[in-house]
Structures are given as structure tokens and as C-alpha cells.
């Protein structure tokens, strides 16, 4: 492979793991630089963003000892001898509903209070007997089972003490984080601004999506799949016009792309005569850390940087133009940089182990990430490859819902073996 035929750089083709390590190291360096600018958003609008402030408990959580069952609040020692054939009778001195504002009675020996889930445990009581194990007649509750002290109650402050840091800056805000913020009264959140990710597709054969393609042209789908992946990774895509396979067009659009926080190029990085991307990047003084990875699809993937690590470096990826290669290399390598530029720690790649449904035969030497279909449910998931025509086949890939990972030392994997699957 002569990726850099026109460039002064030497080739650096690495295994999948080493290539990923290189990218992660640079992501870490990026994260160590000044954090991104912040903005304030209404709570729900902050979903998917990265927290720029700590979220602190404004009071104990729960703020009172909370009943987790409907039943009777009791002193556990009063009902220690209870059994189905010899129920213990307790006087019912109050009914306590969730949100009740009436003063709570103190529970004394021989007393109980009817209590609902979410209501505060009255003083003196130390447990709740589930309503299923009780029988109430008028002001008397018959308790048919003993309870441990503390049973069916979450003590005040057991989840967090007032002032405790519940979420730290850098946390990705998912639905559970939204719940935490809501529970401590944060109606707005300080979050980091999204990194702007420039997307530049190259090729004379490409037509814009809304223009009639020439007979030997194809539509530019990569700019859209990449923009979609950027959105999924919570970046802000900036789609540039198509760069043509000539130096003037590439120079101008790469210059524009370098205004963003990260530049993604697609196409023009393999060994074709018109693959000029690396030449132009070379003119801009690019340092190149990766010129290929021993993977399929996506072997000719380029990763580099302009500017030094002391100033603000601009990273770029030269992703292969073949649409499935573009998608796979984004998934494998681009996300750590987007996370770092967003102020978040790198999210791990989501691999799971699944039983292979039908045999795979291939060649050794490359780690393969082939479009697959995961079926079955719960304890019985299975995966098989979708039929595809190679790394240009987006139709087959759209019918897939995962990538099956084939290690470089395997030329055959039998049906029934467990394989690694990369989830979308
Ligand atoms: P390249 O990496 O430029 O040699 O392109 C490899 C293959 O991907 C060629 O068949 C291109 O036509 C195709 N291709 C390149 N860029 C795009 C794009 N933006 N959208 C769809 N297909 C593309
Ligand atoms: Mg091309």
C-alpha cells in the first residue's frame, strides 16, 4: 500500500489496537488542554451534553426516612413474635400518606401507623410491615410477620448527604443524570459547548444530494452519514461543499475545514492518482500519526494534526471514501477525539459477546468489522453476517444492526462460537 506516494511522510500502518491507542493518546492530550467554553441550558435541553458544573445534593437524599412499601410503620421489637397463627395486635394511631403535611405522631410501644409508599416514617417506628402481611380491623392492625429493624425503609441521607457531589463536571448527561439534577432542583445546567466537526467529502465523481447526478457520478452520501455520526456522538457537524480532485479546490476547503475543532475528510486517501488530500495536508505542515490500520473495511485511514501541542492543535482524520469504510473508521477512531473536545472522558467502544449463527470463512491478517445482524432476545442473542458486496455496500449495511468482529488470526469461526460484536 502506497498511501503516501506524493508525501514526505513515512507510512504508519498499525494494528487496530495500536491505532486506537494512538488516537486515545491524542484525545487525552486534547482533554488536558483548556476545557471548552460553557453555556447554560434548560435541564432537558442538556440531554446528551457534557456537564460543566458539579451537581450537589441541596439536602439529604432521601430528605426523610422513606417507606418503600404500603403497610404499617411499627417498632420491629413489638412484632418480633408475630406469626400467621399468632398475629400481634397494634393500635393504629395515624395514617401517613406520601406528601402528608400533618405532624407525624411518635410511635410508642404497642402502636403503629398505616403508611403509604413514599411517606415519611414517623419517629419511634423503625420498620414497615407490608400490607400483605397485616389485617386491619377498625383501629387495630394485626401483624402476621416480624420485620427487621430498617426493613422497607430507606433512612434519611442513605442515598446522599446534603452537600455531596452527585455528578462531576465531565459527566455525559443521560436520562438518569437528568433525574439526579431534577431531584436537587437544577432547572438549568452549565454544560460545555459542542465541538464543531467539519466534514469534507472529496471526489470528482460526487454529486450533491439535491443536484441531478451525471451518468458516471454518484451522490455524496458520506457527508450525510458522517454528519449523522457526528450528531450521534454529540458533536455539531459543519458540512462543507464537495472538494474536487484538484489542488486548488482541496486547499481552499481544507483551509475552511481547519477553522472547526476537528476536520473529517472522506476519500482521496488511498493510492489513486487523484488522491491529493495528503499532499495538501503536507503543504499545511501536517504531522501524520497513522496512515492505515490493519482492518477491513477501512484500511486506508489517516490521522494527524496541524499546529503544536503547546498551541491549540487541529486534528484531522482522512477517512476512506468507501461509504462503509467511512462509517466503520468513524466508529472505531473518531469518537475519542469528539469526546475529548466536548470535555468528556472517552466513551469505550460497546463490544458484547454473542453466539455466532452461521459459520464465517475469511482470510487472516486483518481485524474485520463486518456488518452483522443481531437477532433473538435476552438470553438467546445470535448474530450472523449480512450478505454484502464489500465496503461500498450501504444498502446491506443499512440492513445490519451491528458489526461482527473477526480477530486477525482467525480464518474460520464455526457456528455456535462466541464472537465479539460492536454495537452501533
Ligand atoms: P476514494 O477513497 O476517494 O478512492 O473513494 C473510494 C470509493 O468511495 C470510490 O468508489 C468513491 O466513489 C466512493 N466515495 C468517495 N467519497 C464518497 C462520498 N462522499 N459518498 C459516497 N461515496 C464516496
Ligand atoms: Mg476519491
Amino acid at each position: 500500500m502506497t498511501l503516501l506516494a506524493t508525501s514526505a511522510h513515512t507510512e504508519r500502518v498499525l494494528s487496530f489496537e495500536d491505532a486506537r491507542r494512538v488516537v486515545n493518546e491524542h484525545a487525552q492530550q486534547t482533554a488536558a488542554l483548556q476545557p471548552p467554553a460553557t453555556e447554560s441550558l434548560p435541564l432537558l435541553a442538556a440531554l446528551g451534553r457534557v456537564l460543566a458544573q458539579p451537581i450537589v445534593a441541596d439536602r439529604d437524599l432521601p430528605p426523610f426516612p422513606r417507606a418503600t412499601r404500603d403497610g404499617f410503620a411499627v417498632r420491629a421489637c413489638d412484632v418480633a413474635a408475630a406469626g400467621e397463627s399468632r398475629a400481634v395486635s397494634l393500635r393504629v394511631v395515624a395514617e401517613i400518606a406520601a406528601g402528608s403535611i400533618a405532624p407525624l405522631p411518635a410511635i410508642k410501644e404497642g402502636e403503629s401507623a398505616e403508611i403509604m409508599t413514599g411517606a415519611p416514617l414517623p419517629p419511634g417506628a423503625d420498620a414497615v410491615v407490608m400490607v400483605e402481611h397485616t389485617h386491619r380491623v377498625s383501629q387495630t392492625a394485626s401483624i402476621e410477620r416480624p420485620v427487621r429493624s430498617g426493613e422497607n425503609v430507606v433512612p434519611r441521607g442513605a442515598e446522599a448527604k446534603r452537600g455531596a457531589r452527585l455528578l462531576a463536571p465531565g459527566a455525559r448527561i443521560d436520562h438518569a443524570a437528568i433525574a439526579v439534577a431534577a431531584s436537587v432542583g437544577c432547572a438549568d445546567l452549565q454544560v460545555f459547548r459542542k465541538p464543531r466537526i467539519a466534514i469534507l467529502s472529496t471526489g470528482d465523481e460526487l454529486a450533491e444530494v439535491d443536484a441531478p447526478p451525471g451518468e458516471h457520478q454518484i451522490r455524496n452520501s458520506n457527508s450525510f452519514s458522517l454528519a449523522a455520526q457526528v450528531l450521534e456522538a454529540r458533536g455539531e457537524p459543519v458540512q462543507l461543499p464537495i472538494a474536487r480532485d484538484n489542488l486548488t479546490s482541496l486547499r481552499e476547503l481544507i483551509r475552511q475545514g481547519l477553522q472547526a475543532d476537528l476536520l473529517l475528510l472522506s476519500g482521496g486517501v488511498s493510492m489513486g492518482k487523484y488522491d491529493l488530500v495528503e499532499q495538501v495536508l503536507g503543504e499545511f505542515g501536517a504531522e501524520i500519526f497513522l496512515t492505515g490500520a490493519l482492518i477491513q473495511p477501512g484500511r486506508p485511514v489517516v490521522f494527524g494534526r496541524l499546529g503544536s501541542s503547546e498551541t491549540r492543535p487541529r486534528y484531522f482524520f482522512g477517512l476512506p471514501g468507501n461509504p462503509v469504510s467511512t462509517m466503520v473508521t468513524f466508529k472505531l477512531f473518531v469518537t475519542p477525539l469528539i469526546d475529548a473536545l466536548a470535555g468528556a472522558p472517552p466513551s469505550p467502544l460497546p463490544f458484547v459477546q454473542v453466539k455466532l449463527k452461521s459459520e464465517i470463512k475469511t482470510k487472516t491478517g486483518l481485524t474485520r468489522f463486518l456488518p452483522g445482524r443481531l437477532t433473538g432476545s435476552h438470553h438467546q442473542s445470535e448474530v450472523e453476517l449480512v450478505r454484502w458486496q464489500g465496503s461500498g455496500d450501504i444498502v446491506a449495511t443499512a440492513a445490519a444492526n451491528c458489526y461482527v468482529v473477526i480477530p486477525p488470526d482467525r480464518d474460520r469461526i464455526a457456528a455456535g462460537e462466541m464472537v465479539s460484536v460492536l454495537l452501533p
Side-chain angles (χ1 to χ4, degrees):
M1 196 175 61
T2 48
L3 269 177
L4 298 171
T6 56
S7 157
H9 295 284
T10 47
E11 273 197 47
R12 214 169 285 178
V13 180
L14 304 178
S15 69
F16 161 64
E17 288 81 5
D18 286 343
R20 174 95 185 161
R21 200 167 302 127
V22 165
V23 170
N24 273 330
E25 278 166 19
H26 287 280
Q28 269 170 25
Q29 283 183 26
T30 303
L33 300 176
Q34 204 184 326
T38 64
E39 61 185 320
S40 176
L41 290 181
L43 182 53
L44 203 48
L47 180 67
R49 302 293 286 271
V50 180
L51 203 54
Q53 61 165 90
I55 292 188
V56 173
D58 63 335
R59 46 188 198 149
D60 288 346
L61 289 181
F64 49 82
R66 183 179 61 208
T68 60
R69 303 276 186 209
D70 294 331
F72 288 85
V74 300
R75 295 158 25 111
C77 59
D78 285 358
V79 299
E84 249 165 70
S85 51
R86 41 183 194 138
V88 170
S89 293
L90 298 175
R91 203 143 37 82
V92 181
V93 298
E95 281 178 11
I96 309 169
S100 144
I101 51 166
L104 298 175
I107 302 300
K108 298 194 266 312
E109 189 178 347
E111 293 181 348
S112 69
E114 188 157 11
I115 193 165
M116 317 304 152
T117 300
L121 193 75
D126 62 351
V128 171
V129 184
M130 285 165 69
V131 69
E132 291 86 335
H133 307 134
T134 66
H135 193 76
R136 180 175 174 177
V137 178
S138 179
Q139 290 311 99
T140 303
S142 300
I143 308 294
E144 293 159 358
R145 281 207 194 169
V147 274
R148 276 178 295 104
S149 174
E151 203 168 326
N152 300 325
V153 177
V154 182
R156 173 175 176 160
E159 290 162 8
K161 295 274 183 247
R162 178 178 177 195
R165 181 184 272 218
L166 308 179
L167 290 170
R172 245 329 147 188
I173 303 167
D174 61 8
H175 61 271
I178 293 271
V180 169
S183 72
V184 300
C186 294
D188 299 286
L189 290 179
Q190 280 294 121
V191 299
F192 291 123
R193 284 189 185 278
K194 288 185 188 181
R196 297 175 70 246
I197 316 296
I199 295 166
L200 180 54
S201 285
T202 72
D204 283 345
E205 76 279 33
L206 301 179
E208 297 285 10
V209 66
D210 53 359
E215 195 185 349
H216 295 134
Q217 282 194 310
I218 56 164
R219 292 202 178 83
N220 170 18
S221 60
N222 287 351
S223 284
F224 286 90
S225 64
L226 284 172
Q229 286 183 289
V230 166
L231 288 172
E232 286 167 358
R234 308 293 186 172
E236 186 184 318
V238 180
Q239 284 173 283
L240 295 170
I242 295 166
R244 298 306 172 185
D245 289 322
N246 65 69
L247 291 173
T248 317
S249 172
L250 279 169
R251 281 180 190 131
E252 171 52 24
L253 287 162
I254 287 178
R255 197 186 51 72
Q256 283 183 33
L258 290 171
Q259 308 294 309
D261 296 305
L262 177 68
L263 169 60
L264 305 181
L265 294 129
S266 109
V269 291
S270 44
M271 54 195 281
K273 193 170 173 194
Y274 294 99
D275 289 342
L276 302 170
V277 166
E278 290 188 52
Q279 182 181 336
V280 175
L281 288 167
E283 291 171 13
F284 280 87
E287 265 182 284
I288 298 205
F289 307 117
L290 179 68
T291 61
L294 296 172
I295 59 172
Q296 189 230 357
R299 184 173 170 143
V301 56
V302 175
F303 171 58
R305 166 175 86 184
L306 293 154
S308 70
S309 47
E310 290 83 55
T311 59
R312 191 158 162 266
R314 276 290 181 284
Y315 285 98
F316 62 84
F317 284 90
L319 303 177
N322 259 316
V324 185
S325 308
T326 317
M327 295 177 200
V328 169
T329 48
F330 181 102
K331 178 88 187 155
L332 296 179
F333 301 118
V334 179
T335 321
L337 259 292
I338 297 186
D339 284 336
L341 291 163
S347 26
L349 283 171
F351 290 111
V352 292
Q353 300 290 309
V354 181
K355 197 161 100 180
L356 186 65
K357 201 167 167 183
S358 32
E359 180 187 54
I360 296 176
K361 282 187 176 159
T362 179
K363 293 195 195 104
T364 58
L366 301 175
T367 306
R368 294 174 205 268
F369 299 86
L370 304 182
R373 182 128 196 106
L374 198 56
T375 52
S377 65
H378 207 41
H379 296 301
Q380 278 154 342
S381 294
E382 287 185 314
V383 72
E384 65 183 332
L385 298 183
V386 298
R387 282 174 176 282
W388 73 328
Q389 303 302 316
S391 52
D393 193 348
I394 42 176
V395 179
T397 305
N401 58 8
C402 66
Y403 296 102
V404 178
V405 186
I406 305 172
D409 58 345
R410 298 294 302 272
D411 57 3
R412 176 179 173 269
I413 305 182
E417 277 194 60
M418 298 299 280
V419 288
S420 265
V421 164
L422 177 62
L423 299 176

